[in-house]
Amino acid sequence: QFTVYYQPKHDLHTNKTGAAEALVRWIHPKLGFISPGEFIPLFERNGFITKLDLYICEQVCEEIKRLQTLGLPVVPISFNASRLDFDDPDFVTNVTELVDKYGIDRSLLHVEVTETAYSENPDNVIAALKQLRSKGFLIELDDFGSGYSSLSSLNVLPLDVMKLDMSIIRQAAELNDYRIVHSAIQMAQ
């Protein structure tokens, strides 16, 4: 019942799709489409989110391998790691084994972490992300600026990509004032 959709990440400089993000959707046979806003919090409460995250990770690995087998272009694909994933001492091993099982380059799988995950368990998150990065995975910070953690997290998280929260972009567009956006980009660089 869970389907992975791929949201392209378009590079404005090259005018090409340079990556994608895996997004899970639940299509229930009786209830139809169930919003991630409804089922993700439920799965975080009941612990099922860790199994779902590994399922998504495996689906991404299968898709990358399928594209490679067909001789089609491949771009890195990111998947979201829940805050509960970082409480699992086998998380890094599980992700690594999945990627290696499909024989794909680890740099093609990006691990996304939110500020929320970091703010709730910083030591576990930092340790796991450092291990993942040392094994060749790229790390993305999702929803930066959503208000959950301090700027000091940028000093300790091993990040390759920082994604601004959409609220920052919307507000800048509404006010036609992009100073905060430019400052965040400079900080990321």
Side-chain angles (χ1 to χ4, degrees), residues 157-186:
L157 289 172
L159 302 173
D160 299 292
V161 175
M162 184 175 88
K163 294 168 54 179
L164 295 178
D165 188 72
M166 196 59 172
S167 65
I168 293 173
I169 307 299
R170 281 193 191 110
Q171 185 180 45
E174 288 171 9
L175 299 173
N176 197 27
D177 183 350
Y178 293 89
R179 289 177 294 173
I180 296 295
V181 173
H182 292 297
S183 295
I185 292 169
Q186 287 177 330

Side-chain angles (χ1 to χ4, degrees), residues 22 25 76:
R25 297 296 180 253

Side-chain angles (χ1 to χ4, degrees), residues 9 110 138-142 159-163:
K9 295 179 185 179
H110 294 194
L138 273 72
I139 309 300
E140 299 186 11
L141 178 64
D142 197 12
L159 302 173
D160 299 292
V161 175
M162 184 175 88
K163 294 168 54 179

Side-chain angles (χ1 to χ4, degrees), residues 8-19:
K9 295 179 185 179
H10 196 74
D11 187 330
L12 295 175
H13 298 292
T14 64
N15 199 29
K16 294 181 179 178
T17 299

Side-chain angles (χ1 to χ4, degrees), residues 6 8 33 36 52 72 80-81 84 87 90 92 95 114 119 134 139-140 144 150-151 176 189:
Y6 296 96
F33 177 83
L52 182 60
L72 297 172
N80 293 288
L84 294 179
D87 292 336
D90 296 323
V92 172
V95 170
T114 63
S119 64
S134 73
I139 309 300
E140 299 186 11
F144 177 77
S150 68
L151 295 176
N176 197 27
Q189 291 171 337

Side-chain angles (χ1 to χ4, degrees), residues 21 32 36 42-43 75 79 84-85 93 95 110 115 160 179-180:
E21 178 179 358
L42 171 66
F43 290 176
V75 297
F79 81 100
L84 294 179
D85 291 328
T93 301
V95 170
H110 294 194
E115 289 185 10
D160 299 292
R179 289 177 294 173
I180 296 295

